[in-house]
Amino acid sequence: MQRSLLLLATALVVQGPSAASARKLQVTTDDRDSQSFPWDLPEGLSQSPDLPLDEEPLARTVSGFQPEGVHLTQWTTDSVLVSWQTGEPLLGGAASPAPPPHDPAAVPSVVRWGTKRGELKQRTEGDAGVVYTYTYGQDHGNATYHSPILHHVILSGLRPGTPYFYSVGCEEHGWSEVLAFSTLRPAFPLRLGFVGDVGQTANSSATLAKLTSSKPDAVVVVGDFTYADDHPPAGGTPHWGTMFATEQRRWDAWARLTQPLLARLPLVSCRGNHEIEQLLEAQNATSTAANARYPYPQDPARIATQPNIGAWFLDQQGTAVAGGAHGQARFKNESSFDSLGYYSLDLAPGVHIVSLNSYLPWGRESQQYRWLQADLAAVDRQKTPWLIVLFHAAGYHSYAGHYKEADTFMALLEPLFYRYQVDLVYSGHVHAYERTFPVYRYRRDDCGPVYTLIGDGGNVEGLYKDFIDAQPQPAFCADSALYQLPVYQPISGKDPVITLQDGYFCPNRQPDWSAYREPTFGHGVLEIQNATHAAWEWHRTLDSGAEGGVDRVTISKTPEGACAAAALRADADVMSGGTRRGLDATALRGRPSLLTSLHRLLSAVYTWL
């Protein structure tokens, strides 16, 4: 009787996909499974400086308004966005003000294309390009940066599994070389290359070359593209933190660095903390460069390149505090601000990717949370068996750096992943590699997703070598009151959710849910073979050869209905507002409704039964 009552209440309270469609994930390793261990890498292989801006592959090699930095973005199942830049950036400072910005209407945005290299008979012209301006105040020497003209053109009506050739530019200013890409096939297999926290060092370049040799069909970048905010602006001076003053020329350079890869393979991505670049002089605008250069198909009918106006979701603490530093930005996480920073995308065949932004409002009253819940519920798992989620701040990892930084985010969103049977979650932020077993609430659970940390692309900040269970542990392991989140990571409420694993804030050994971890630069390849099987490989950058990988696993799904009971548990966790993940109830705002209280009671009865 009690069990029937709970089933009825669940059906009434939470609408979602049929529990009969739920499958367990099984992860098996092949005979080449390697032992996880920390690498004692020589200097240079664990950290290297950014490459010089005036030398290849970062240096500008064109003149005038000739096109450069060409890259593709997967837009819809039958369209791609073609992007490039023209013109030099225009710089200025207190002693020498910047000239006026380029006129984007003066240089047409044209793509010539076709299915034969020598016959580019089709011509698509986009609207006028985009120019954005960064202007820093007196503290930065009045530094000003006007971007090159940024061009974006959508090629639509493309046939699946078809090679296309194209060239960008215009008659007056010249054309790029003829480039080529292939649209995704209409049937399995689908091969995706994953990399995160890339940067523009020698290690970055080596990782991108290794990724290219893996021959993926598309490239997934899980945030932190350029690390432009690790450098002061040209003509300016360094400032506190890495959010408020950045070297925008590093964005120009990163497009040149990645053109050999992204001009022929479409990009799928999510934003990271190094894309925030909060601009105090422009209403606390965030993601100005990222949105203008790598726009998202949040609304595939338009190309939205404007920044997120931080004044709507950030409370800025004035312009100066003791010590001369700018005040930190407090986050209004329940903001209804409808931001540009998240989207979903169907990749033929049978794959749905959700790209979230863990640095824009994600509280239960936010647009992002409501959108996510609706998007996951709308996926037909019979037609779309694979569900993949991307976000930057790693939900599961066992490194000391950025430890538990995403716990409050996960307290709210992890029940949704579990409820709608997300298969795979990819993140970055921690500069290392780690793969979990299927997991939920810090316990191994075959109905939970496999989480993969792939933040080891090669950036200037170097690898995170220390595991959280290594001795000596950080001081906050003994006293969680010492634990602090960085200013860029939003939370719901004033305090982060504090979670325990086996009764401890920090484990004293590799957690049971952690399958493989290694602090080495690398990339991953996911080959989705059919509706029930996929293969994952992680490749070290420093290893020679392109074949194979260090961490190789097969991911398979059991027959339908294996996780029907898990959906009931997830429903209760969704209704609880995330507090079941940890000890701190600050993720909830206000008193629970009567319906929520009833659901919690029935869930407890079900658990007892």
Side-chain angles (χ1 to χ4, degrees):
M1 175 66 179
Q2 292 97 328
R3 193 181 298 269
S4 299
L5 182 59
L6 176 64
L7 291 170
L8 176 60
T10 300
L12 291 173
V13 173
V14 178
Q15 299 296 319
S18 169
S21 66
R23 300 171 181 264
K24 285 187 177 181
L25 286 182
Q26 302 292 330
V27 180
T28 58
T29 59
D30 69 5
D31 294 335
R32 294 175 54 184
D33 183 35
S34 301
Q35 182 70 30
S36 303
F37 62 96
W39 273 68
D40 185 14
L41 292 174
E43 186 177 358
L45 293 180
S46 61
Q47 186 172 14
S48 60
D50 277 329
L51 296 169
L53 285 171
D54 58 354
E55 297 180 13
E56 291 192 40
L58 303 188
R60 192 167 186 258
T61 58
V62 301
S63 61
F65 291 95
Q66 293 176 320
E68 61 172 355
V70 184
H71 55 275
L72 306 173
T73 299
Q74 188 69 39
W75 204 250
T76 66
T77 54
D78 66 349
S79 65
V80 298
L81 180 74
V82 184
S83 306
W84 68 97
Q85 61 199 36
T86 59
E88 291 190 67
L90 302 176
L91 309 175
S96 178
H102 297 299
D103 177 8
V107 181
S109 302
V110 183
V111 181
R112 301 182 303 183
W113 57 288
T115 55
K116 296 182 180 179
R117 178 178 291 274
E119 299 182 18
L120 306 183
K121 295 181 178 181
Q122 299 194 65
R123 178 187 176 100
T124 302
E125 185 167 354
D127 296 334
V130 177
V131 169
Y132 71 86
T133 295
Y134 255 70
T135 300
Y136 303 98
Q138 181 61 45
D139 290 344
H140 303 282
N142 289 322
T144 298
Y145 167 93
H146 299 309
S147 78
I149 301 173
L150 308 174
H151 304 266
H152 303 289
V153 176
I154 297 175
L155 303 185
S156 58
L158 305 178
R159 299 195 301 268
T162 302
Y164 285 93
F165 299 89
Y166 72 103
S167 177
V168 305
C170 64
E171 281 80 3
E172 180 181 356
H173 299 287
W175 298 91
S176 72
E177 62 179 313
V178 176
L179 302 162
F181 69 93
S182 291
T183 52
L184 301 181
R185 291 181 294 275
F188 292 117
L190 174 67
R191 190 171 171 86
L192 301 175
F194 285 80
V195 68
D197 300 76
V198 181
Q200 41 199 295
T201 70
N203 286 315
S204 311
S205 183
T207 298
L208 293 172
K210 197 75 178 287
L211 173 57
T212 301
S213 69
S214 294
K215 299 180 179 179
D217 300 318
V219 174
V220 181
V221 177
V222 292
D224 283 4
F225 290 28
T226 69
Y227 286 78
D229 59 349
D230 272 357
H231 299 270
T237 55
H239 205 48
W240 91 284
T242 58
M243 290 174 60
F244 302 123
T246 74
E247 172 53 285
Q248 291 294 297
R249 292 182 299 171
R250 288 281 169 185
W251 281 96
D252 307 328
W254 199 79
R256 293 188 282 266
L257 173 68
T258 57
Q259 175 172 324
L261 177 67
L262 297 183
R264 67 181 190 84
L265 295 174
L267 173 69
V268 179
S269 67
C270 66
R271 301 281 188 249
N273 59 293
H274 283 272
E275 276 76 75
I276 296 174
E277 296 185 316
Q278 186 181 347
L279 188 56
L280 298 174
E281 282 76 14
Q283 291 188 294
N284 297 327
T286 66
S287 297
T288 300
N291 289 1
R293 296 168 181 270
Y294 299 90
Y296 283 158
Q298 188 164 326
D299 176 0
R302 68 188 186 102
I303 305 171
T305 57
Q306 66 267 31
N308 293 306
I309 302 303
W312 290 101
F313 61 93
L314 294 170
D315 284 334
Q316 186 62 41
Q317 299 290 305
T319 57
V321 293
H326 281 238
Q328 75 179 45
R330 296 184 307 179
F331 201 91
K332 295 184 283 191
N333 200 27
E334 303 300 333
S335 170
S336 61
F337 172 59
D338 193 6
S339 54
L340 298 173
Y342 52 86
Y343 66 100
S344 64
L345 185 67
D346 289 319
L347 299 181
V351 178
H352 187 72
I353 289 187
V354 178
S355 175
L356 300 176
N357 193 317
S358 48
Y359 306 104
L360 287 172
W362 46 258
R364 294 195 69 176
E365 300 303 317
S366 69
Q367 292 291 334
Q368 183 170 199
Y369 182 92
R370 294 172 178 176
W371 169 86
L372 173 64
Q373 195 165 27
D375 185 82
L376 294 177
V379 178
D380 183 343
R381 300 306 293 273
Q382 299 298 320
K383 297 179 180 179
T384 309
W386 290 96
L387 184 51
I388 300 172
V389 171
L390 316 174
F391 55 87
H392 184 64
Y396 280 93
H397 73 90
S398 58
Y399 291 87
H402 299 310
Y403 184 63
K404 287 186 176 293
E405 202 167 289
D407 263 22
T408 313
F409 177 83
M410 291 289 287
L412 286 181
L413 273 64
E414 188 180 16
L416 293 181
F417 303 157
Y418 193 65
R419 173 66 183 88
Y420 295 103
Q421 291 296 288
V422 169
D423 298 298
L424 305 168
V425 178
Y426 292 92
S427 299
H429 198 42
V430 178
H431 303 164
Y433 173 73
E434 187 164 12
R435 172 182 54 82
T436 75
F437 294 105
V439 60
Y440 182 60
R441 300 300 206 196
Y442 282 117
R443 295 188 182 278
R444 289 179 60 171
D445 186 328
D446 287 344
C447 296
V450 171
Y451 290 78
T452 302
L453 164 65
I454 191 75
D456 55 345
N459 71 79
V460 66
E461 295 177 359
L463 292 166
Y464 290 9
K465 295 183 178 182
D466 297 326
F467 299 136
I468 192 63
D469 48 282
Q471 301 298 322
Q473 292 180 300
F476 60 68
C477 289
D479 182 4
S480 62
L482 300 176
Y483 180 76
Q484 291 184 330
L485 285 174
V487 297
Y488 55 73
Q489 180 58 58
I491 60 173
S492 292
K494 65 178 182 178
D495 298 310
V497 168
I498 299 298
T499 57
L500 302 182
Q501 302 177 57
D502 299 324
Y504 296 93
F505 187 59
C506 302
N508 54 18
R509 57 180 175 81
Q510 183 174 357
D512 290 339
W513 46 260
S514 173
Y516 188 100
R517 57 183 185 174
E518 187 173 314
T520 312
F521 292 129
H523 75 277
V525 177
L526 175 70
E527 183 171 289
I528 302 178
Q529 299 163 339
N530 53 47
T532 58
H533 287 75
W536 168 260
E537 295 182 349
W538 174 69
H539 300 249
R540 293 189 191 110
T541 298
L542 58 83
D543 286 348
S544 61
E547 298 300 321
V550 180
D551 182 30
R552 299 177 56 172
V553 298
T554 297
I555 301 168
S556 60
K557 300 186 182 186
T558 59
E560 295 180 3
C563 293
L568 298 178
R569 179 187 177 193
D571 288 344
D573 288 344
V574 170
M575 296 303 298
S576 74
T579 55
R580 288 180 53 162
R581 190 173 209 255
L583 304 178
D584 191 326
T586 56
L588 270 182
R589 290 201 172 197
R591 300 177 61 182
S593 67
L594 178 61
L595 193 57
T596 300
S597 300
L598 173 62
H599 197 281
R600 291 181 188 171
L601 176 61
L602 292 174
S603 177
V605 172
Y606 179 84
T607 302
W608 175 75
L609 290 173

